[in-house]
Amino acid sequence: MPFGLTNALVTFQRMMNKLLKDYIEKFVKVYIDDIIIYSKNFEEYLIYLKKVFKALNEVNLKLNIEKSKFCQKEIKFLEHIILKQGIKMDKKKI
């Protein structure tokens, strides 16, 4: 990163926003190095997953497979739990 570690997160977030700009708010949410892909059904999910993988591959970014989770019906993100029905607070964080 050209500005050193002080601006590394901001620079990385900007890069991810630019890289995935066509997908953000349609089926992707990005927060620094977290990418959430959502869909209405599994078939759609696989198509979206391929699009995101392709975009990451084009700029030679790699996923840490050990930290990755796929096909989740519920996820914990920024002290919230995201479900099909909506968003709720993680009771462990209250």
Side-chain angles (χ1 to χ4, degrees):
M1 306 269 170
F3 304 109
L5 295 176
T6 303
N7 295 320
L9 293 177
V10 174
T11 303
F12 192 78
Q13 178 73 53
R14 189 177 309 123
M15 179 190 68
M16 294 303 291
N17 287 343
K18 186 175 181 180
L19 177 65
L20 298 172
K21 71 177 188 262
D22 294 337
Y23 308 141
I24 293 174
E25 301 302 326
K26 294 177 184 167
F27 58 86
V28 170
K29 299 278 187 197
V30 178
Y31 182 74
I32 305 175
D33 64 344
D34 290 328
I35 302 170
I36 298 174
I37 303 168
Y38 52 91
S39 66
K40 293 180 182 176
N41 58 56
F42 186 68
E43 292 76 23
E44 234 180 40
Y45 177 76
L46 292 177
I47 292 167
Y48 298 159
L49 196 60
K50 286 180 185 179
K51 288 181 180 191
V52 172
F53 283 172
K54 183 179 180 202
L56 295 172
N57 190 48
E58 287 174 358
V59 294
N60 204 29
L61 287 175
K62 309 283 189 251
L63 294 176
N64 183 338
I65 197 70
E66 294 169 359
K67 291 183 177 181
S68 300
K69 295 180 182 178
F70 300 97
C71 305
Q72 302 290 305
K73 293 186 178 196
E74 173 181 307
I75 61 169
K76 292 181 183 177
F77 184 69
L78 299 176
E79 301 186 7
H80 291 80
I81 298 175
I82 302 171
L83 308 153
K84 183 177 183 178
Q85 297 81 10
I87 299 172
K88 64 181 184 178
M89 288 293 300
D90 185 352
K91 291 182 181 179
K92 294 178 184 176
K93 301 293 181 176
I94 298 174

